[in-house]
Amino acid sequence: MKNFAPFTRKKPLSLAVSCVLASSMFSLQAQDQTDETEKAEEKTERIQVVGSRIRSDGLDQAAPIEVINASVAASQGISNLGELLRNSTVAAGSNQITAAASTAFVTEGGTGSESISLRGLGANRTLILLNGRRAGPAGTRGQVSSFDPNVLPLSAIDRIEILKDGASSLYGSDAVAGVINIITKKGDDSSVNFNTSQPSESGGENYQLNATYGRTFGRGSFRVVGDYKMQEELAQGQRSFFNCAERYIFDPATGERADPIDPRTGNYHCNDLLWGHVWLYDYQGEGGNVPAGAKAQYDYDGDLANYIPGFASDPTNPDFMVTPPGWFPVAYDRASDAVANADHPFQDLQTLTPENELITAYAQGDYELSDSVMLYGEALLNRRTTKTNGYRQFWSYKYNEDFFAGDSQSAGWTGAQWLSPTAITDHSGDKITVDYRRFVLGLNGDFGNWFWDLSYQDSHSDGDYQSDLIYEDAITPYNFASGSCAGEVTPIRGVPCVDVPWLDPQFLAGNITGEVRDFLFGEQTGNTVYKQQTLEGYITGDVFELPAGPVGVVLGGSYQRDSIKDTPGVETLRANTWGQTSAGITEGKHNTKAVYTEIQIPVLRDLPLVEALDFNVSGRYTDVSSYGSDNTYKAGLNWQIGQGFRLRASRGTSFRSPALFELYLNNQTSFVGQRAIDPCINWGDGLEAGTTLEIVADNCAADGIPADFGGGAISATVTTGGGAGQLEAETSVAKTIGLVWLPEFADFSASIDYFNIEITGEVTNLSAGQIVGNCYISDTFGTEPLCSQFDRDPTDLRITDVRGGYLNIATQVNRGIDLQLGYTTDTPIGQLTATYQHTRQLEASEQLFATSEPTDRTGEVGSPEDVGNLSVALDYEDWTFNWTARYIGEVSNGENITTTYRGEDVRIVVDADAVIYHAFSVTKDFSDAGIDFTFGVANAFDKEPPKVSASARVSRLGTSAFYSQYDWLGRRLFMNVSYSF
């Protein structure tokens, strides 16, 4: 058969050339093979280099490609595909969605899911292929659209090809930032493998057992893989840098820490989630006994009087706040901040990295039906079970015993106040089960010098998400009640009402049992099904001969059908979940039809300064039933100059229609605190202190907000929905130019590539803070469209409702430089191989609207300007010694930033120095026994995530920057044992 050149039959030099020209450096060990083995592999193993559908030997590719050999994972202590991809410099320069991030934030794909975003342009703009064919999405809830790396274990993977360039004209609309092509193992090798990783501190342990069996026979081959993996939970309290959210503020003059010291512990105060408090809304006016901003805290330890004063008393003043014994005002000045309860034991049990159990079966095979036709197929079955634990606040609103209508349930609380008792509970967890299956069936073959391929791919993700909840109808209907609810039934569930002891100190501390717990708490299960079917075929071959060589062409077409149906739990559907997102059923589908072509033209050969000059152009017509149609193209130039130098360049366009959830997401409601979104709170003080921009102050004043506006008490309701009928498709232009050098005098390789990707009309979901903030910062405040997206209450001026959703923003730009180096040499003690990859980000900007100023995040926390990976390996007889170093450049969201804390100037830290994570390992190959053993240490110097201050400028957990580039597990030992047969 033709065009079946086996990967393993290439000489080592050819392999090195192929990989370097594709901007990749990886090592392969040559093996002695019999002629029969070579013949068998020639029928099953094919060169597949992503970036072109024209069949070739894989050499001299015009596109910048990085190839990662999956075997390197074992030497670095990496046990999953997601982590291996995130460590690539093309992904490491931006914050990624990890399983840990999915527990801290609402992320696309739901709790426990992961995704990969090349260049930081979003997972929806990164195409994942499995053996050159689409791999459908997996996940839960209404925002599923991306491939989840959890579904495929490393034990099934041979290598990963990353095309670091847009390729929508060849692969479809979501190949905006690049393409990741995962190539699975083939051949006759079979093995059983055990892998474990053990952090030096408890939490985050990993265990994995897998087996693979592959054989070639007569006219075909097959491989089966079974994999079991258990990732143990890492709880927040298991790492010191996460278990206490110190303010981490400094005196700008002396540089000394300025955090309040908790006199009960002698340490800096932990300022996580407040608990055990009654929030006070005071109507006394001047001369009252409730300090501004104070909350009432119960004296659980009986010692608060040693540190702070209690409420002042005046029996002649009926407006004075009077409480039952044991209550003190806190959180209104430095001294009372220091003793405010904000570090509950529930916090230590909060899941950081969830418990993940993964069970996977994978099989593939092919069979020659004739000398020119081959039948092939793949089957992937995966079950992911994710469990998380959490904690949360919940609250009610009550009158004092004698204020307004009064409330008999507030015995002992008198004065001109109303109350918001705020309790805490650990009834806040999830259990996710996602069953994913993917089947591929195809035919390929050749006639003459033409090769053809026809395949059908069917993927199906079915996920259940069980979550703990607080019933809405157990709280909201009884806010500001005037007495007992005994004898009433709840308006939604229709169950007998139970009087909740809102002002009981034990209840506020989370000690909730019996009848009250059953009345308040429950659980529900939702379900998400995402289906994707793809039928694709193409034919490629040489159409005619030019003086410089044959002209290659590809003609192809595809039909793809996607559908999603997310059915939330019954309580969500009937809006009976307190303080959580409520949503309807998200359901939608669309069909995508496309035809494409690619032409490769050899222009010149064997001339001065032109050893070879090739031109490649591709085009695609795409029609999406939910949106419309458009054309995309890409043109590339590949110039072999001479003396080992080669220049490559490309320019391409893309067209991405909105994803199903971006179109059809049913309205979801959530709640956000006023201070998190309203820039008009105390804008007068902010203007004086320099923390509020003048334009914001002017617009707040123009909106009738007084300079001393204290903000509303009740959270704002945020509604988010799909943009069907309003969204337009994204378009983008990607440009690259690069130089490759392969000198003949040394086994050395180097490549440098400049990339520039600009997206226009990007689909995004603005947060409530972005909507309100961009309204008040607008130069055209009176006519700013975003200002019509939220409402204020005419009485207390609080923001009541914010209407979010998906919309098209103006532009997003990402540009930078990729550098790759590789060197191999023989030394007296063995062969030494060193590779280095580096990405410098020059711009990562976003412009919301045509009239907005672009915001460039290059060099900020989560978007470092520089990232790099160094790998050094020494082979000595049956031993291999490895050292890898992963570099994250310095980042800053501002230097020497000062703000105020309780009227004092303080400096906050929103920057971090560069970090290098080192891993060392040694592998011993017991070849006679078929066993190889790897032992190593990752994060060898136990680097912690950088500390940052509490600030809206950065995302943090505890006192640590919360971004995917940083290691949260700490030093860990890893071991891999493999038996081959």
Side-chain angles (χ1 to χ4, degrees):
M1 296 179 66
K2 299 179 180 178
N3 298 314
F4 285 5
F7 191 83
T8 52
R9 290 184 63 195
K10 283 186 172 290
K11 296 179 181 180
L13 179 59
S14 297
L15 282 171
V17 171
S18 175
C19 296
V20 171
L21 292 181
S23 295
S24 172
M25 295 69 166
F26 64 97
S27 61
L28 297 173
Q29 296 180 349
Q31 298 179 348
D32 293 332
Q33 299 174 320
T34 65
D35 290 341
E36 287 136 3
T37 302
E38 289 182 346
K39 182 177 180 181
E41 292 186 350
E42 184 174 357
K43 293 180 180 181
T44 59
E45 191 72 59
R46 306 169 188 177
I47 294 292
Q48 296 181 15
V49 179
V50 70
S52 174
R53 292 189 183 273
I54 293 176
R55 305 286 287 187
S56 70
D57 59 7
L59 299 176
D60 300 330
Q61 290 295 307
I65 300 170
E66 177 180 352
V67 181
I68 303 173
N69 196 324
S71 63
V72 303
S75 65
Q76 298 177 24
I78 295 173
S79 63
N80 63 80
L81 174 60
E83 183 180 358
L84 184 62
L85 291 172
R86 287 193 298 272
N87 285 353
S88 169
T89 60
V90 74
S94 59
N95 194 32
Q96 303 286 327
I97 293 179
T98 65
S102 74
T103 66
F105 307 102
V106 177
T107 58
E108 296 173 5
T111 303
S113 67
E114 300 191 345
S115 63
I116 298 297
S117 166
L118 297 182
R119 309 291 191 198
L121 295 176
N124 289 333
R125 299 168 192 91
T126 298
L127 176 61
I128 308 292
L129 302 177
L130 180 53
N131 291 323
R133 290 169 286 274
R134 283 181 174 269
T140 58
R141 301 189 182 267
Q143 295 169 286
V144 176
S145 69
S146 303
F147 175 79
D148 184 352
N150 284 309
V151 306
L152 188 66
L154 284 171
S155 57
I157 300 172
D158 175 57
R159 66 188 187 276
I160 303 158
E161 301 168 349
I162 303 178
L163 174 64
K164 302 185 288 186
D165 186 13
S168 292
S169 60
L170 281 177
Y171 297 106
S173 62
D174 40 0
V176 175
V179 180
I180 298 173
N181 187 23
I182 303 165
I183 308 297
T184 56
K185 292 177 179 176
K186 293 184 179 179
D188 286 344
D189 62 298
S190 302
S191 63
V192 177
N193 187 80
F194 174 73
N195 177 282
T196 185
S197 174
Q198 301 289 319
S200 56
E201 298 180 76
S202 63
E205 296 83 0
N206 176 80
Y207 309 92
Q208 190 168 15
L209 177 65
N210 56 72
T212 178
Y213 182 80
R215 286 295 180 266
T216 58
F217 59 91
R219 303 180 68 91
S221 69
F222 72 90
R223 173 167 296 277
V224 293
V225 178
D227 190 284
Y228 175 82
K229 179 182 178 183
M230 171 58 76
Q231 174 73 55
E232 299 286 1
E233 177 194 44
L234 173 65
Q236 191 169 327
Q238 291 179 305
R239 294 295 181 270
S240 60
F241 40 86
F242 288 135
N243 68 6
C244 174
E246 299 170 0
R247 289 171 176 81
Y248 203 60
I249 53 179
F250 296 81
D251 186 313
T254 66
E256 298 295 323
R257 285 286 292 273
D259 296 46
I261 302 292
D262 189 333
R264 300 168 298 183
T265 64
N267 299 320
Y268 295 120
H269 179 252
C270 298
N271 194 37
D272 285 289
L273 201 62
L274 288 168
W275 64 273
H277 297 92
V278 177
W279 293 55
L280 308 174
Y281 299 93
D282 186 32
Y283 290 84
Q284 296 181 77
E286 295 291 334
N289 68 335
V290 177
K295 290 93 180 161
Q297 176 177 298
Y298 186 72
D299 188 4
Y300 291 97
D301 297 323
D303 62 350
L304 282 180
N306 297 328
Y307 313 120
I308 57 173
F311 289 100
S313 62
D314 182 355
T316 65
N317 188 341
D319 287 346
F320 258 37
M321 179 83 178
V322 176
T323 71
W327 292 90
F328 286 75
V330 298
Y332 64 90
D333 62 7
R334 172 179 281 271
S336 64
D337 283 345
V339 293
N341 291 335
D343 186 25
H344 196 282
F346 288 163
Q347 174 202 321
D348 289 345
L349 305 178
Q350 167 98 351
T351 295
L352 179 59
T353 300
E355 176 189 301
N356 249 6
E357 183 182 43
L358 298 164
I359 304 173
T360 309
Y362 175 75
Q364 67 179 36
D366 51 57
Y367 184 78
E368 290 185 29
L369 299 177
S370 69
D371 289 341
S372 60
V373 178
M374 176 176 284
L375 172 71
Y376 61 86
E378 301 173 21
L380 172 62
L381 302 174
N382 172 269
R383 166 168 285 191
R384 171 172 64 88
T385 304
T386 302
K387 297 178 182 178
T388 69
N389 299 298
Y391 75 115
R392 61 182 299 195
Q393 291 177 328
F394 64 108
W395 56 85
S396 179
Y397 297 100
K398 301 178 70 65
Y399 289 125
N400 270 345
E401 184 179 1
D402 59 351
F403 190 55
F404 285 120
D407 185 355
S408 61
Q409 300 291 304
S410 302
W413 296 79
T414 61
Q417 297 81 30
W418 53 273
L419 318 171
S420 180
T422 302
I424 196 168
T425 178
D426 61 352
H427 185 78
S428 178
D430 296 281
K431 180 180 179 181
I432 313 296
T433 303
V434 179
D435 290 314
Y436 179 83
R437 64 178 186 264
R438 177 181 182 269
F439 299 102
V440 172
L441 186 65
L443 291 167
N444 63 30
D446 57 7
F447 57 91
N449 66 347
W450 291 84
F451 175 83
W452 58 271
D453 186 282
L454 179 65
S455 64
Y456 173 74
Q457 181 264 156
D458 183 354
S459 66
H460 185 282
S461 171
D462 189 339
D464 289 332
Y465 50 101
Q466 176 183 307
S467 57
D468 294 333
L469 62 88
I470 301 173
Y471 291 113
E472 166 73 12
D473 70 350
I475 297 180
T476 302
Y478 309 103
N479 287 336
F480 298 111
S482 58
S484 173
C485 69
E488 300 180 29
V489 296
T490 59
I492 300 177
R493 288 177 294 160
V495 301
C497 185
V498 173
D499 286 325
V500 177
W502 284 106
L503 295 168
D504 178 3
Q506 292 304 313
F507 174 85
L508 294 174
N511 298 318
I512 308 167
T513 59
E515 184 182 32
V516 173
R517 188 176 188 89
D518 294 340
F519 176 67
L520 287 171
F521 302 146
E523 63 180 33
Q524 63 175 345
T525 300
N527 175 261
T528 307
V529 175
Y530 196 107
K531 301 177 183 178
Q532 184 183 90
Q533 297 89 31
T534 307
L535 178 66
E536 183 170 18
Y538 66 91
I539 184 170
T540 178
D542 300 334
V543 288
F544 55 86
E545 193 85 13
L546 292 176
V551 174
V553 66
V554 170
L555 296 173
S558 67
Y559 176 83
Q560 180 177 317
R561 178 182 175 88
D562 289 79
S563 66
I564 186 173
K565 183 175 183 180
D566 174 63
T567 307
V570 61
E571 300 301 336
T572 295
L573 287 173
R574 58 183 184 174
N576 195 29
T577 56
W578 184 93
Q580 289 179 291
T581 298
S582 63
I585 296 174
T586 294
E587 185 171 12
K589 60 184 178 181
H590 62 201
N591 305 321
T592 304
K593 294 174 285 187
V595 292
Y596 56 89
T597 186
E598 179 187 8
I599 302 174
Q600 184 164 300
I601 304 171
V603 180
L604 298 173
R605 287 291 188 276
D606 302 325
L607 296 175
L609 297 180
V610 186
E611 290 185 1
L613 179 64
D614 295 330
F615 181 70
N616 182 285
V617 63
S618 57
R620 188 183 191 94
Y621 170 81
T622 305
D623 182 83
V624 184
S625 62
S626 63
Y627 176 76
S629 60
D630 206 344
N631 301 299
T632 56
Y633 77 89
K634 183 178 181 181
L637 183 71
N638 194 14
W639 175 16
Q640 190 75 30
I641 302 170
Q643 302 297 315
F645 287 97
R646 183 166 62 88
L647 182 71
R648 58 191 178 196
S650 69
R651 186 183 193 277
T653 63
S654 74
F655 148 75
R656 188 185 82 88
S657 64
L660 286 176
F661 76 84
E662 293 169 337
L663 292 169
Y664 302 116
L665 182 68
N666 206 321
N667 282 347
Q668 297 183 345
T669 59
S670 58
F671 305 91
V672 63
Q674 299 287 332
R675 292 185 177 275
I677 63 171
D678 192 349
C680 293
I681 294 176
N682 291 319
W683 62 261
D685 291 343
L687 183 63
E688 183 178 345
T691 57
T692 299
L693 296 176
E694 185 174 354
I695 188 173
V696 173
D698 290 343
N699 289 338
C700 290
D703 206 20
I705 311 296
D708 61 350
F709 173 57
I714 302 174
S715 299
T717 301
V718 182
T719 303
T720 300
Q726 299 178 353
L727 290 179
E728 298 180 355
E730 301 174 352
T731 59
S732 69
V733 176
K735 294 173 283 189
T736 65
I737 184 169
L739 182 67
V740 180
W741 183 39
L742 288 169
E744 296 182 358
F745 56 81
D747 197 352
F748 173 78
S749 58
S751 69
I752 185 169
D753 291 278
Y754 169 80
F755 60 88
N756 186 339
I757 303 174
E758 181 173 342
I759 302 173
T760 302
E762 178 182 314
V763 177
T764 191
N765 182 21
L766 295 184
S767 68
Q770 288 176 309
I771 291 172
V772 179
N774 280 281
C775 163
Y776 285 103
I777 205 172
S778 174
D779 290 324
T780 56
F781 174 73
T783 58
E784 172 59 53
L786 287 178
C787 296
S788 63
Q789 295 298 110
F790 64 94
D791 302 320
R792 286 188 181 272
D793 186 278
T795 303
D796 62 9
L797 299 179
R798 64 184 171 88
I799 296 173
T800 56
D801 298 279
V802 183
R803 293 171 291 280
Y806 290 91
L807 48 80
N808 295 97
I809 66 171
T811 58
Q812 183 174 4
V813 176
N814 188 273
R815 59 186 183 91
I817 296 172
D818 291 325
L819 171 69
Q820 300 212 23
L821 304 171
Y823 180 66
T824 300
T825 187
D826 290 323
T827 72
I829 58 173
Q831 186 180 72
L832 180 70
T833 301
T835 65
Y836 182 69
Q837 297 92 30
H838 191 101
T839 295
R840 161 154 284 200
Q841 196 165 228
L842 301 176
E843 182 179 359
S845 66
E846 183 177 85
Q847 183 180 8
L848 287 180
F849 302 101
T851 57
S852 306
E853 287 294 323
T855 301
D856 189 355
R857 296 198 62 248
T858 305
E860 293 188 2
V861 187
S863 185
E865 187 177 38
D866 292 286
V867 292
N869 290 326
L870 172 67
S871 178
V872 179
L874 175 66
D875 290 319
Y876 171 71
E877 295 182 350
D878 294 332
W879 295 84
T880 301
F881 302 89
N882 288 282
W883 165 44
T884 59
R886 186 165 61 90
Y887 173 79
I888 311 298
E890 63 180 5
V891 290
S892 176
N893 289 17
E895 296 181 359
N896 298 317
I897 302 298
T898 59
T899 184
T900 59
Y901 169 64
R902 298 302 182 191
E904 300 177 6
D905 289 337
V906 295
R907 179 175 62 84
I908 60 174
V909 176
V910 289
D911 61 297
D913 293 334
V915 177
I916 303 177
Y917 294 106
H918 298 269
F920 302 94
S921 70
V922 58
T923 298
K924 168 64 174 174
D925 183 6
F926 300 92
S927 54
D928 292 340
I931 296 174
D932 68 68
F933 177 85
T934 298
F935 179 79
V937 56
N939 193 356
F941 301 106
D942 204 20
K943 289 282 188 179
E944 297 182 357
K947 287 187 174 183
V948 293
S949 304
S951 168
R953 292 172 176 258
V954 292
S955 174
R956 72 172 199 162
L957 187 69
T959 317
S960 299
F962 194 70
Y963 298 86
S964 62
Q965 290 95 350
Y966 301 116
D967 186 292
W968 300 332
L969 287 171
R971 181 189 295 116
R972 52 200 177 275
L973 301 176
F974 59 87
M975 179 186 71
N976 188 85
V977 181
S978 181
Y979 170 65
S980 299
F981 58 94

